[in-house]
């Protein structure tokens, strides 16, 4: 089955700096890669996603890049703000008939004022 | 709209006890899911239901059972709780079972924290 590794597990940045979270996946047939943000005491919420036919996608201060050859994808947050502090999960959609998301282990991002 | 509502939010059980976690969604979604979240392990799928009346095993189904008798409800049962089932449980729903489509976006509840002593 699919295996998704996520790094780092914790990340602290100064407000206004950029943050980068990286994930690798094992199944070369995976073709959909969403990112979810989980605020304290809440359930995860989709913030951005990318499909395998696209190399990069941006939405205001967040962007995701995908390298299919290396089987890794990354989340980039620019001009970080305190409200960006949360746990971020990457995921990959498995191939085959079941086609369920496999999540990474999560990254606790802390934006320091 | 309430979205996805989970009850209870907190529960403490003794080993061997049984309980049911309840999940309700008011978005008319067809698919529903149960995940567990453990430190350093992300979200792992326990069971899912692509549509009312159908259920399928996910990555970690052992020790659990589910029921989807109504479209808006998805129940997760623990027949004989074990300490290894101490976790935070999340219910989610999506309009489509195709998670790679816009209609497949997962909407999560706020979680149920279960402790098994």
């Amino acid at each position: 089955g699919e295996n998704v590794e996520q790094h780092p597990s914790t990340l602290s940045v100064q407000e206004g700096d950029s943050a980068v979270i990286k994930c690798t996946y094992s199944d070369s047939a995976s073709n959909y890669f969403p990112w979810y943000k989980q605020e304290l005491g809440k359930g995860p919420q989709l913030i951005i996603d990318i499909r395998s036919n696209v190399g990069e996608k941006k939405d205001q201060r967040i962007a995701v890049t995908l390298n299919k050859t290396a089987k890794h994808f990354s989340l980039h947050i620019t001009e970080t703000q305190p409200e960006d502090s949360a746990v971020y999960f990457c995921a990959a959609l498995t191939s085959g008939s079941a086609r369920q998301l496999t999540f990474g282990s999560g990254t606790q991002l802390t934006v320091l004022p | 709209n309430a979205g996805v509502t989970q009850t209870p939010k907190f529960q403490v059980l003794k080993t061997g006890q049984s309980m049911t976690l309840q999940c309700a969604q008011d978005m008319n979604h067809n698919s529903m899911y149960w995940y567990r979240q453990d430190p350093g392990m992300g979200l792992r799928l326990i069971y899912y239901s692509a549509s009312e009346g159908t259920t399928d095993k996910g990555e970690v189904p052992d020790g659990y059972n589910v029921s989807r008798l109504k479209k808006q409800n998805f129940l997760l049962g623990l027949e004989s709780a074990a300490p290894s089932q101490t976790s935070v449980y999340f219910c989610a729903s999506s309009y489509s079972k195709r998670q790679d489509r816009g209609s497949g976006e997962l909407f999560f509840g706020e979680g149920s924290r279960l402790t098994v002593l």
Side-chain angles (χ1 to χ4, degrees):
Chain A
E2 176 67 278
N3 182 47
V4 177
E5 294 190 358
Q6 183 171 346
H7 300 280
S9 57
T10 61
L11 178 61
S12 294
V13 299
Q14 290 295 135
E15 183 177 355
D17 288 350
S18 296
V20 180
I21 302 170
K22 299 181 179 181
C23 290
T24 61
Y25 60 99
S26 60
D27 186 352
S28 57
S30 292
N31 63 355
Y32 175 67
F33 308 91
W35 286 86
Y36 281 79
K37 175 184 180 182
Q38 184 180 23
E39 297 178 347
L40 191 63
K42 303 290 186 182
Q45 184 174 10
L46 179 68
I47 56 170
I48 195 168
D49 56 14
I50 191 168
R51 288 168 175 74
S52 58
N53 59 346
V54 175
E56 183 177 7
K57 184 177 179 180
K58 291 183 179 180
D59 183 2
Q60 299 182 336
R61 295 186 297 107
I62 61 174
V64 58
T65 59
L66 172 65
N67 184 325
K68 286 192 299 180
T69 302
K71 290 190 285 187
H72 68 70
F73 56 112
S74 300
L75 178 71
H76 304 254
I77 305 174
T78 59
E79 302 175 11
T80 54
Q81 301 170 3
E83 54 264 37
D84 294 329
S85 294
V87 178
Y88 292 81
F89 292 98
C90 63
L93 189 64
T94 58
S95 59
S97 59
R99 291 184 63 77
Q100 292 297 320
L101 288 174
T102 297
F103 285 85
S105 54
T107 297
Q108 172 68 61
L109 173 64
T110 302
V111 179
L112 305 170
Chain B
N1 285 346
V4 178
T5 302
Q6 295 182 227
T7 54
K9 294 190 183 304
F10 301 93
Q11 183 72 50
V12 178
L13 293 177
K14 294 181 179 178
T15 297
Q17 288 185 320
S18 63
M19 77 157 299
T20 299
L21 296 175
Q22 302 187 22
C23 178
Q25 53 92 6
D26 62 1
M27 297 175 282
N28 197 33
H29 283 175
N30 294 300
S31 299
M32 298 186 73
Y33 313 80
W34 276 107
Y35 290 89
R36 60 178 289 172
Q37 182 178 25
D38 302 293
M41 301 188 74
L43 294 157
R44 292 183 293 169
L45 183 64
I46 305 171
Y47 271 93
Y48 66 99
S49 169
S51 60
E52 177 184 349
T54 69
T55 60
D56 285 285
K57 295 180 180 180
E59 180 185 354
V60 289
D62 293 344
Y64 305 95
N65 57 75
V66 290
S67 172
R68 181 96 184 272
L69 298 179
K70 293 184 178 181
K71 184 177 184 178
Q72 65 268 33
N73 299 125
F74 195 28
L75 307 181
L76 178 70
L78 287 73
E79 293 182 343
S80 180
S84 60
Q85 294 178 303
T86 294
S87 186
V88 180
Y89 292 85
F90 285 96
C91 177
S93 70
S94 63
Y95 182 78
S96 169
K97 66 179 181 181
R98 286 291 306 270
Q99 294 173 349
D100 56 343
R101 296 181 177 174
S103 56
E105 176 183 347
L106 295 176
F107 291 83
F108 285 86
E110 295 192 337
S112 298
R113 183 174 294 275
L114 174 66
T115 301
V116 183
L117 303 175

